[in-house]
Amino acid sequence: MTAISSPAKAVAAQRWDAIDVARGIAIAAMIVYHFSWDLSFLKLVATDIVAVPAWRWFARAIAGSFLFLAGAGLVLAHVQGLRKEAFLRRLAKVGGAALLITAVTYVAFPESYIFFGILHCIALSSVLALPFLRLPAPAVLASAALCLTLSWILTDPSFDTPWLDWLGLGASDPVTNDYVPIFPWFGLVLAGVASAKAILPHAETLRLARWRAADRVSRLLAWAGRKSLPIYLLHQIVLLGVLFGVLQLTGPSPLAEARPFIAECEASCLAQNGQAGTCRALCSCVVDELRRTDIWRRVIDDLVEPEDRTRISRMAQQCLRRKEP
């Protein structure tokens, strides 16, 4: 690999607008995802975001981009040698923010609080990545590949304990609102490290390092990238506050309210050898009938009594007769 001259290192060590813009795009994508998640969580829309594979992959892509950029940024920040004070200062900010997220979510969602989310992973990965800053890019890339595949190779129920959940090697995922364990996600940090080390010797890289955001959109994205941590910490408070106000005005989506009952109804129908299409139509019919009665509110609040179940069963029989040719 071509050696990097001292002037080139000085340019590379400066803050890159290109990296900030990339991080700003990731921030914008994160806000879009969390806005959609909040709509689903508050039942303002019928779609269950968590259950849709495309939304899950979107969330993973966002998390992966943050980790990749964290690895690349680590190389650029310390290309002239490890800046201990700057590193420890950043680590304290990210680690402190991670602990704050844990404390807040423990109060708000005690059964699914965030104990090892994206900030926890970035903080620990930053420390774990330090030895790799001295290695050549191919060796770092090989290590990244190993990390990305290790969770498939070493997955074992013996790792299913709260003290080892941060590793990500257990046979099942813990219940939490944000789970970004070391394996496989540390592999993306190392991929960022390897990529930055690989491109630094090239002349085109210095031109990219000198590029400055000029238009309004790129300047806004660069600003968001530089303020990514406070935006991350505050955006959900703003989004949930606004959407909770909307919920008071509009009420929940009727389809969203009916979703748990429909899921249970369809599962029960299918268990009796029903066809998927018939079960969907039958359960939708039952919901329409229930909404015209005083039973519906008890269904929503999961306070259904035995006599209510009898009436629901009769409604289902009536709906079934209507669907029969």
Side-chain angles (χ1 to χ4, degrees):
M1 185 177 67
T2 306
I4 308 172
S5 65
S6 295
K9 287 183 178 180
V11 173
Q14 296 175 1
R15 184 138 201 161
W16 292 32
D17 277 14
I19 295 292
D20 286 331
V21 167
R23 193 179 292 110
I25 294 172
I27 284 287
M30 176 194 68
I31 292 174
V32 169
Y33 175 78
H34 282 160
F35 177 75
S36 303
W37 189 92
D38 293 343
L39 288 173
S40 178
F41 173 72
L42 294 174
K43 295 185 177 180
L44 285 167
V45 296
T47 304
D48 184 4
I49 295 298
V50 178
V52 179
W55 280 106
R56 290 201 300 271
W57 281 108
F58 182 49
R60 291 170 183 169
I62 295 167
S65 65
F66 278 119
L67 293 165
F68 181 90
L69 291 171
L74 195 64
V75 173
L76 300 178
H78 306 288
V79 68
Q80 294 179 301
L82 180 62
R83 298 158 54 211
K84 292 182 181 179
E85 291 186 7
F87 175 81
L88 291 175
R89 186 163 55 247
R90 177 181 176 278
L91 182 63
K93 289 180 180 179
V94 176
L99 293 176
L100 178 63
I101 289 293
T102 295
V104 171
T105 57
Y106 184 79
V107 174
F109 311 102
E111 295 181 355
S112 59
Y113 72 98
I114 299 172
F115 64 90
F116 206 86
I118 184 69
L119 292 182
H120 304 74
C121 188
I122 289 176
L124 182 54
S125 295
S126 297
V127 176
L128 296 177
L130 287 180
F132 293 89
L133 298 182
R134 296 178 175 272
L135 298 179
V140 180
L141 189 60
S143 300
L146 178 62
C147 288
L148 290 170
T149 57
L150 198 62
S151 57
W152 295 338
I153 299 172
L154 286 184
T155 296
D156 191 271
S158 61
F159 291 102
D160 286 325
T161 171
W163 300 107
L164 296 176
D165 279 339
W166 59 277
L167 287 172
L169 298 176
S172 60
D173 289 345
V175 178
T176 176
N177 286 328
D178 185 26
Y179 184 50
V180 189
I182 289 298
F183 300 106
W185 295 99
F186 180 51
L188 291 176
V189 176
L190 292 182
V193 171
S195 299
K197 291 176 75 68
I199 68 171
L200 274 177
H202 299 283
E204 294 81 2
T205 303
L206 295 184
R207 286 197 289 271
L208 183 61
R210 294 189 180 100
W211 178 81
R212 292 294 174 262
D215 60 273
R216 183 176 300 178
V217 173
S218 61
R219 287 202 305 269
L220 178 61
L221 289 172
W223 174 85
R226 288 191 291 270
K227 303 296 182 182
S228 57
L229 185 56
I231 291 175
Y232 178 85
L233 293 174
L234 297 175
H235 79 285
Q236 272 291 61
I237 297 174
V238 174
L239 289 177
L240 284 170
V242 171
L243 292 178
F244 187 77
V246 172
L247 180 64
Q248 306 314 303
L249 296 175
T250 65
S253 163
L255 290 176
E257 278 193 315
R259 190 168 59 217
F261 174 81
I262 290 177
E264 181 180 350
C265 175
E266 290 184 1
S268 175
C269 176
L270 289 171
Q272 299 175 25
N273 299 319
Q275 297 180 347
T278 301
C279 290
R280 279 194 297 269
L282 172 64
C283 293
S284 295
C285 174
V286 173
V287 168
D288 290 339
E289 293 296 323
L290 282 172
R291 285 204 183 104
R292 300 189 181 100
T293 70
D294 59 343
I295 305 177
W296 182 240
R297 181 44 54 188
R298 292 197 291 276
V299 169
I300 296 301
D301 295 336
D302 197 22
L303 297 173
V304 177
E305 299 180 359
E307 56 267 28
D308 294 330
R309 296 187 183 280
T310 301
R311 291 176 62 186
I312 293 172
S313 178
R314 289 173 181 167
M315 290 178 191
Q317 293 172 6
Q318 292 173 359
C319 286
L320 187 59
R321 283 195 291 269
R322 291 178 199 167
K323 301 299 178 185
E324 291 177 348

